Amino acid sequence: MASRAPNAVARMLGLLGDEWTLLVMQQSLLGATRFGEFKARLPISNSVLSARLRSLTEEGLLERREYQTRPSRLEYVTTTRGRSLWPVLVSIWEWERRWVPEHVEPLPHMHHLECGHDFAPAATCRACGAVAEVEHVVAQWGPSGSWSRSIPAAATRRRAETAAAGLFPQTMSVVGNRWGFALVVAGMVGLRRFTDFQSQLGAPPGSVADRLTILTANGVFDGTGNRYELTEKGRALFAVVITSLQWAQRWYRAPEGPAVVVTHTACGRRFDPVLICDQCRRPLRGTAISVVENSATSD
């Protein structure tokens, strides 16, 4: 009997399709370890922060350590699984930088320590080295893949509209919700009609309508009648989606095999994304990237 357990896509959408998870991990990778540090950096309530730190610890992205015994004080340290999210967060930053100019404050720069330049990441094919966009790949279900097994199970909690959203506010409204993220993924694999989104994703019609309204307002989809097409801005989320899928299939791979098999049409090989620096063309490493605030200048 075929398994009905959630596959890597479901885990990706349920875990990463939550803005507080992304924001907490963003701040963790930027150096926050203690409850008070996360609170100082994020507009988040104590209860929501406690819940996210607990779930991220249970999922193995953070490790809880006691740094003081009397009284007991805890810190949350990023694990290997958590640190490996850096390509997703760097891709989110690049999408915001390129497609969302209307920030209250300009985004900080990403600096590549190996070449000494500020950079923009580019997604390339590990097999042939070519830069790839969504139109250059074909995705097919793998051994553990199906729409029914890809339905995200985790619930999200909406952030107050007036709260700041860290380094990438619009992305959080787009993919920081499990159904919003699922709709973007579905659009990239060819779904176009409202009824198809609702039936294939198993989402409540109200949730689909709500997220499509937000995605259309943000210029990610162009909706006419019952048909929704990803715009150029929406297709540019490819790096966010493909690095998220790569991460999920590394850490949540089903015993029977991957949920999705992606092929690079240019070389005919399996597509495994590698982010490179657009300045020196070398593969990026998370430890060789620094965040430079706009008050500082770098070349």
Side-chain angles (χ1 to χ4, degrees), residues 114-238:
E114 292 183 355
C115 71
H117 291 84
D118 292 347
F119 74 93
T124 66
C125 172
R126 186 182 300 275
C128 69
V131 174
E133 304 290 347
V134 65
E135 58 268 23
H136 303 145
V137 301
V138 174
Q140 297 176 307
W141 289 124
S144 63
S146 67
W147 284 115
S148 62
R149 291 186 63 180
S150 302
I151 296 172
T156 60
R157 179 176 296 183
R158 181 172 296 179
R159 173 177 40 84
E161 293 295 329
T162 57
L167 293 184
F168 22 75
Q170 192 172 125
T171 315
M172 294 306 167
S173 70
V174 173
V175 300
N177 172 280
R178 58 176 174 151
W179 295 123
F181 199 2
L183 287 166
V184 171
V185 172
M188 288 191 178
V189 298
L191 296 191
R192 297 289 182 267
R193 297 186 180 278
F194 182 97
T195 50
D196 293 335
F197 288 133
Q198 194 276 321
S199 62
Q200 296 288 11
L201 297 176
S207 296
V208 174
D210 178 55
R211 300 321 299 185
L212 282 173
T213 297
I214 292 172
L215 293 168
T216 301
N218 282 325
V220 173
F221 276 100
D222 180 19
T224 303
N226 189 40
R227 189 174 180 85
Y228 293 84
E229 297 276 354
L230 282 171
T231 63
E232 183 181 3
K233 181 178 180 179
R235 292 192 299 274
L237 284 163
F238 170 70

Side-chain angles (χ1 to χ4, degrees), residues 49-276:
L49 177 56
S50 295
R52 291 307 184 275
L53 291 173
R54 181 171 58 252
S55 65
L56 288 168
T57 300
E58 292 171 351
E59 290 287 351
L61 279 73
L62 297 177
E63 179 183 350
R64 188 171 63 178
R65 297 178 183 173
E66 187 176 54
Y67 68 89
Q68 179 180 304
T69 56
R70 294 186 179 180
S72 178
R73 303 288 186 188
L74 300 173
E75 63 181 357
Y76 297 84
V77 180
T78 312
T79 64
T80 300
R81 180 178 297 190
R83 287 192 297 273
S84 66
L85 269 176
W86 72 263
V88 178
L89 295 174
V90 167
S91 297
I92 287 174
W93 167 84
E94 169 59 11
W95 187 81
E96 281 272 342
R97 183 196 68 81
R98 180 178 177 186
W99 292 99
V100 190
E102 61 272 14
H103 290 288
V104 176
E105 297 181 1
L107 291 179
H109 302 286
M110 291 290 174
H111 191 71
H112 189 203
L113 299 176
E114 292 183 355
C115 71
H117 291 84
D118 292 347
F119 74 93
T124 66
C125 172
R126 186 182 300 275
C128 69
V131 174
E133 304 290 347
V134 65
E135 58 268 23
H136 303 145
V137 301
V138 174
Q140 297 176 307
W141 289 124
S144 63
S146 67
W147 284 115
S148 62
R149 291 186 63 180
S150 302
I151 296 172
T156 60
R157 179 176 296 183
R158 181 172 296 179
R159 173 177 40 84
E161 293 295 329
T162 57
L167 293 184
F168 22 75
Q170 192 172 125
T171 315
M172 294 306 167
S173 70
V174 173
V175 300
N177 172 280
R178 58 176 174 151
W179 295 123
F181 199 2
L183 287 166
V184 171
V185 172
M188 288 191 178
V189 298
L191 296 191
R192 297 289 182 267
R193 297 186 180 278
F194 182 97
T195 50
D196 293 335
F197 288 133
Q198 194 276 321
S199 62
Q200 296 288 11
L201 297 176
S207 296
V208 174
D210 178 55
R211 300 321 299 185
L212 282 173
T213 297
I214 292 172
L215 293 168
T216 301
N218 282 325
V220 173
F221 276 100
D222 180 19
T224 303
N226 189 40
R227 189 174 180 85
Y228 293 84
E229 297 276 354
L230 282 171
T231 63
E232 183 181 3
K233 181 178 180 179
R235 292 192 299 274
L237 284 163
F238 170 70
V240 176
V241 171
I242 199 66
T243 54
S244 297
L245 178 64
Q246 179 189 48
W247 178 83
Q249 296 206 129
R250 174 184 177 186
W251 295 106
Y252 299 104
R253 185 183 178 98
E256 60 269 39
V260 179
V261 176
V262 183
T263 302
H264 186 208
T265 55
C267 69
R269 304 280 294 278
R270 187 164 177 169
F271 183 71
D272 185 27
V274 176
L275 294 187
I276 66 168

